[in-house]
Amino acid sequence: MSTIRTFSRLIRFTTADGMAHYGDAILPSGVTDVSKATKANLIVGNIFASYRVTEKILDVRTLLAPLALSEVKTVRCLGLNYAQHAKETQDPIPVHAITQAEPGLDYECELVVIIGKKARDVPEDKALDYVLGYSVGNDVSHRDWQLKKGGGQW
């Protein structure tokens, strides 16, 4: 009986030939930071549907964003989920000039959960079966749109 191997540290990376690949990062014992990965088991197939983690080990040249831009849909929404926001960290966030013309721009760091397959009415005990991975993201909001211009919660 064969075992289906799933990834534990999904990365997207380039190899020396410039090709982009998905892989399961291979880390030395005690290391948890995937940015330290220099090798990965190649993943073949569609990571959102049917994929296979192979035994083929590739050298990681450059780490890329976890998902290619062609695979990411844009989600925009307004939310009032925090009473106070984290202090500014001086991280550069490109912001279009039109949103800088008025006060109210705000941002915070968010945990991003990447859902890997279609789901509806999933029971709580099965929820993690649908999680492809985790990342971090910038939640950039414009408070004037929310509070003064009728945007409300959403």
Side-chain angles (χ1 to χ4, degrees):
M1 183 171 142
S2 66
T3 304
I4 296 175
R5 184 169 164 219
T6 61
F7 57 82
S8 55
R9 291 173 222 86
L10 177 68
I11 60 172
R12 197 168 68 86
F13 62 97
T14 60
T15 48
D17 61 5
M19 297 294 294
H21 303 277
Y22 282 104
D24 189 9
I26 300 171
L27 299 176
S29 179
V31 175
T32 58
D33 183 353
V34 295
S35 72
K36 306 293 185 207
T38 59
K39 296 189 179 298
N41 287 95
L42 176 66
I43 296 175
V44 295
N46 181 340
I47 62 165
F48 295 103
S50 177
Y51 67 88
R52 181 172 55 88
V53 179
T54 70
E55 295 300 320
K56 184 173 183 177
I57 296 175
L58 298 178
D59 290 326
V60 175
R61 181 167 195 169
T62 305
L63 281 176
L64 302 171
L67 299 174
L69 288 176
S70 62
E71 297 168 325
V72 178
K73 306 289 189 272
T74 299
V75 177
R76 292 186 178 106
C77 58
L78 299 174
L80 299 172
N81 56 348
Y82 287 85
Q84 295 182 344
H85 297 280
K87 292 182 179 179
E88 294 181 0
T89 61
Q90 303 302 316
D91 291 337
I93 299 174
V95 177
H96 194 279
I98 196 168
T99 63
Q100 295 179 31
E102 302 174 27
L105 191 66
D106 195 10
Y107 62 91
E108 61 196 12
C109 181
E110 298 281 349
L111 171 66
V112 177
V113 178
I114 303 165
I115 305 301
K117 54 188 173 183
K118 289 184 180 183
R120 185 176 183 156
D121 300 324
V122 176
E124 184 177 347
D125 64 330
K126 300 288 184 195
L128 292 179
D129 294 344
Y130 294 82
V131 174
L132 177 66
Y134 304 92
S135 188
V136 294
N138 285 325
D139 176 355
V140 181
S141 303
H142 202 285
R143 299 295 175 217
D144 280 359
W145 290 0
Q146 286 179 311
L147 305 173
K148 296 179 184 175
K149 295 186 178 185
Q153 175 68 21
W154 305 109

